[in-house]
Amino acid sequence: MTTHNPFIKEVIKDSLMSIGEEMFAALARTSMSPIIYEVLDYACGLTDAKGNLVSQGNGVTSFIGMLSPMVKSVIADFEEDLYDGDIIIINDPYTGGGSHLSDVGLVMPIFAHGKLVAFSANKGHWTEVGGKDPGSFTNDATEIYQEGLQLPGVKLFEKGKLNKAVEKIIAKNVRLPKLSIGDMWAQVAALRTGANRFIELCELYDSHTITAVIDRLIEGSEIYALKEMAHLPKGEFEAEDFIEGDPNKGGPYKIKVKVTITEDEFICDYRGSHPQVATPVNCSYYGLMASVRVMFLAILQPRFNITEGLFKPLKIITDKQSIVSAERPAPVSMNFEARLGGAELIWKALAPLLPDRLSAGHLLSVSSVTLSGVHPDTKDDFLIVEPSVGGWGAGENHDGQSGQFCMGDGETYNVPIEVAEIKYGIRVNDYRFRDDSSGAGEFIGGKGVVRSYEVLSDKQHLSASFGRHAFKPWGMHGGSDGASSMIKVYRKNGDVLGPFGVTTRLALNKGDVVQLITPSGGGYGDPAKRDKSLVEKDVKNGFFSSEEAEKIFQVTLKNK
């Protein structure tokens, strides 16, 4: 039988992986928004006919857990009403695969010889989906209806024909339709690329063979997960932390998890966490599931293409209407605070037991920034929507990484300074690692960054949400905690606002400077055990002053 041929299986497996990667490249090359083509805030992939993930190309790691629930929700809604050429558009956080309204998903059924054989899917962060604030990041929303246009899963294309009414509704509900509609068409192009490549694969090997190999790949992933779980400690492990949000609106909000590991189950029980709130730091169950899946992968450390089978042992339990499992109409535009906070609880509970796999605490927050205004040269409206980099925690035998995105963002990137200064009404005056004594240990935590934007036109508005402004990234095994985030605004007249962690529609005028400071990661181990040559290097790099180094690491430096 062809499916037992190991060479054919490998060819099909690698072909599926390359399809996901080609979809990913196609979307980046045809998109209109910097948050997609520069930051890579999106993901693409394939599922089987049942909605099980079989291949993916992703920038944002959290999206790895969102595509298959999104496809399964489409299957449940449309059942037999799917046709060749259909494309469904969906951004509803309370329907499968949802995070917040800005993350828009497209799903396309793939047919071979008249039979449904797979789905092509992607999810990308649109610069704008409407709502009461530019960028649709709304720190003070009290219900989801204020956060933008909701698309619960409707046909954007039916049998290959564009539903112009849906396109028109989208265009009239967003502030920057050229960007949003342009990104929508880029997602369509990526879907069609994936569908065409999968059909070509079915022509090379019949669809029955492809389906059988996919089933084997999913089964093999489950076997791998169970095998890796055999190396994990068994029992119950608990952790608690807080979701900060805007202190003027309430909080902090306590979250907790009990992780139970058996031979064949990895159970994450969030019962007892704070109920959902009327501020947008909630996440839906699907948002939580996506980030928990990322954490589960970090523990298993697979070295092959991810499929649905890896997640079979994973179970998630929550209270109804919890802050980590919110229900409509709770606002969720800042959902990453809850879903990443929930995922990092697993990290915090297990890191002391798995130092070879998990480090001390990291920046955690997406540290989102939106800045809107009128470009001083072109007089066009501009809108910055971007995450921020920070420090990761140190681990066993290694320092933490500096200037990296949080676990939910994954393989994403900065908007380059040159691009930002051309497209937006700002000048980047400062972009560097922060220098402070945080995150000390035998191995030091990675450094956060300082980024300063000088405002070049009047009537700009800043909205930002920086987590870890009250609770620092945690140290481990004697290492000190990392440094908190903060935002400061230096007015042209000399006034200084801040430090604060959250702000909404803060008015800025020409000459004002916004300073964004992200968290540094926690340290690992006793600082007194740090190698002296590394301490000298730290001082040379400006991470610690000579006085700080001698006091913290208990060394005497020759060259001060």
Side-chain angles (χ1 to χ4, degrees):
M1 185 177 176
T2 316
T3 55
H4 290 295
N5 187 319
F7 300 104
I8 290 178
K9 179 182 176 182
E10 285 298 309
V11 168
I12 293 174
K13 182 190 73 172
D14 290 347
S15 296
L16 293 171
M17 186 183 299
S18 69
I19 291 172
E21 292 172 351
E22 186 176 356
M23 292 171 65
F24 189 81
L27 207 165
R29 290 175 179 174
T30 54
S31 63
M32 298 290 289
S33 300
I35 197 166
I36 291 184
Y37 65 73
E38 293 286 359
V39 177
L40 307 185
D41 194 347
Y42 69 98
C44 304
L46 296 172
T47 76
D48 65 11
K50 298 177 182 178
N52 296 309
L53 184 69
V54 297
S55 176
Q56 185 160 343
N58 65 290
V60 176
T61 51
S62 287
F63 286 170
I64 201 167
M66 294 181 184
L67 294 189
S68 57
M70 182 174 69
V71 174
K72 289 178 180 179
S73 72
V74 167
I75 294 171
D77 284 348
F78 289 89
E79 296 181 351
E80 303 299 321
D81 190 28
L82 290 171
Y83 304 96
D84 193 10
D86 284 358
I87 295 179
I88 294 85
I89 187 168
I90 178 171
N91 73 340
D92 184 353
Y94 298 112
T95 305
S99 47
H100 57 179
L101 297 178
S102 298
D103 293 334
V104 181
L106 268 63
V107 177
M108 182 179 189
I110 302 173
F111 291 81
H113 308 295
K115 179 183 177 182
L116 178 64
V117 291
F119 286 88
S120 176
N122 56 40
K123 181 180 280 287
H125 185 117
W126 286 13
T127 300
E128 249 286 327
V129 289
K132 72 184 188 66
D133 286 348
S136 313
F137 276 66
T138 310
N139 285 317
D140 60 350
T142 57
E143 55 184 7
I144 194 171
Y145 308 108
Q146 300 167 343
E147 296 181 320
L149 180 65
Q150 297 181 60
L151 300 163
V154 296
K155 288 191 177 182
L156 179 63
F157 283 80
E158 186 159 12
K159 297 180 180 179
K161 184 178 180 181
L162 173 66
N163 186 334
K164 293 185 178 180
V166 172
E167 183 188 38
K168 193 171 184 179
I169 288 170
I170 295 171
K172 293 298 181 182
N173 276 276
V174 302
R175 293 173 177 82
L176 300 170
K178 288 184 179 180
L179 295 183
S180 297
I181 297 298
D183 292 338
M184 181 190 79
W185 279 102
Q187 288 181 254
V188 169
L191 291 184
R192 289 174 171 169
T193 297
N196 290 338
R197 295 295 179 265
F198 194 89
I199 291 169
E200 290 172 2
L201 192 62
C202 289
E203 291 173 351
L204 186 60
Y205 306 98
D206 64 89
S207 59
H208 173 75
T209 299
I210 304 296
T211 301
V213 169
I214 286 174
D215 289 343
R216 286 178 177 273
L217 291 173
I218 293 174
E219 290 170 5
S221 294
E222 182 178 4
I223 292 170
Y224 175 89
L226 294 172
K227 182 179 177 182
E228 283 300 305
M229 283 174 56
H231 302 300
L232 303 181
K234 305 300 184 290
E236 297 179 349
F237 314 95
E238 300 185 33
E240 296 180 352
D241 211 326
F242 293 89
I243 298 168
E244 297 170 352
D246 187 344
N248 297 316
K249 304 294 181 183
Y253 310 105
K254 187 176 182 178
I255 54 174
K256 58 191 298 186
V257 73
K258 179 171 70 175
V259 180
T260 303
I261 305 176
T262 68
E263 292 296 333
D264 57 1
E265 287 189 319
F266 191 102
I267 304 168
C268 304
D269 185 348
Y270 290 91
R271 289 177 293 187
S273 295
H274 198 283
Q276 68 186 47
V277 294
T279 61
V281 295
N282 307 283
C283 70
S284 69
Y285 177 85
Y286 294 106
L288 175 67
M289 180 177 68
S291 291
V292 169
R293 283 184 166 190
V294 173
M295 196 66 248
F296 188 56
L297 292 177
I299 293 168
L300 294 185
Q301 298 183 345
R303 291 173 175 80
F304 52 83
N305 192 41
I306 307 303
T307 77
E308 199 76 14
L310 277 167
F311 306 119
K312 293 293 180 69
L314 182 61
K315 305 289 186 299
I316 302 171
I317 305 171
T318 65
D319 294 318
K320 288 188 175 181
Q321 297 185 333
S322 161
I323 196 170
V324 293
S325 185
E327 299 176 10
R328 197 184 306 278
V332 292
S333 57
M334 301 295 172
N335 75 102
F336 37 76
E337 300 295 342
R339 63 182 172 84
L340 298 181
E344 204 200 34
L345 281 183
I346 304 169
W347 185 340
K348 191 174 183 180
L350 297 179
L353 304 169
L354 299 170
D356 59 325
R357 299 181 184 227
L358 300 173
S359 67
H362 79 322
L363 73 154
L364 179 63
S365 178
V366 168
S367 301
S368 65
V369 179
T370 62
L371 185 62
S372 61
V374 176
H375 196 288
D377 299 325
T378 66
K379 308 305 178 186
D380 292 333
D381 292 338
F382 76 85
L383 177 61
I384 298 174
V385 179
E386 62 181 351
S388 306
V389 297
W392 279 62
E396 188 176 60
N397 298 317
H398 67 84
D399 290 339
Q401 295 294 312
S402 299
Q404 299 295 316
F405 287 107
C406 68
M407 61 166 283
D409 281 337
E411 294 295 327
T412 48
Y413 297 88
N414 298 281
V415 174
I417 290 173
E418 296 83 358
V419 173
E421 291 186 336
I422 290 172
K423 287 186 170 290
Y424 309 133
I426 53 95
R427 178 181 295 116
V428 181
N429 288 347
D430 190 15
Y431 199 7
R432 57 182 169 82
F433 292 131
R434 64 187 295 179
D435 49 351
D436 55 60
S437 59
S438 60
E442 181 179 2
F443 300 97
I444 65 171
K447 294 299 180 180
V449 302
V450 179
R451 185 164 86 256
S452 295
Y453 288 157
E454 180 184 349
V455 175
L456 300 182
S457 60
D458 289 338
K459 297 181 180 180
Q460 294 191 20
H461 291 88
L462 171 72
S463 292
S465 181
F466 278 38
R468 291 293 188 214
H469 59 265
F471 297 91
K472 299 176 180 180
W474 40 274
M476 194 162 69
H477 293 322
S480 67
D481 291 343
S484 299
S485 65
M486 67 184 78
I487 302 168
K488 294 182 179 180
V489 174
Y490 296 86
R491 297 291 194 191
K492 186 178 180 180
N493 65 7
D495 292 344
V496 180
L497 305 183
F500 47 80
V502 179
T503 187
T504 304
R505 297 183 304 279
L506 179 64
L508 303 169
N509 288 309
K510 184 177 180 180
D512 293 343
V513 176
V514 177
Q515 187 181 61
L516 307 165
I517 305 174
T518 62
S520 295
Y524 181 99
D526 183 356
K529 295 182 179 180
R530 185 163 180 79
D531 186 281
K532 184 178 178 180
S533 65
L534 294 178
V535 176
E536 292 174 342
K537 185 178 179 181
D538 297 336
V539 172
K540 185 177 181 180
N541 285 331
F543 293 159
F544 301 92
S545 68
S546 298
E547 293 74 17
E548 287 173 336
E550 291 189 344
K551 180 179 179 180
I552 293 170
F553 300 104
Q554 300 177 27
V555 298
T556 300
L557 300 176
K558 294 180 180 179
N559 300 316
K560 297 185 180 181

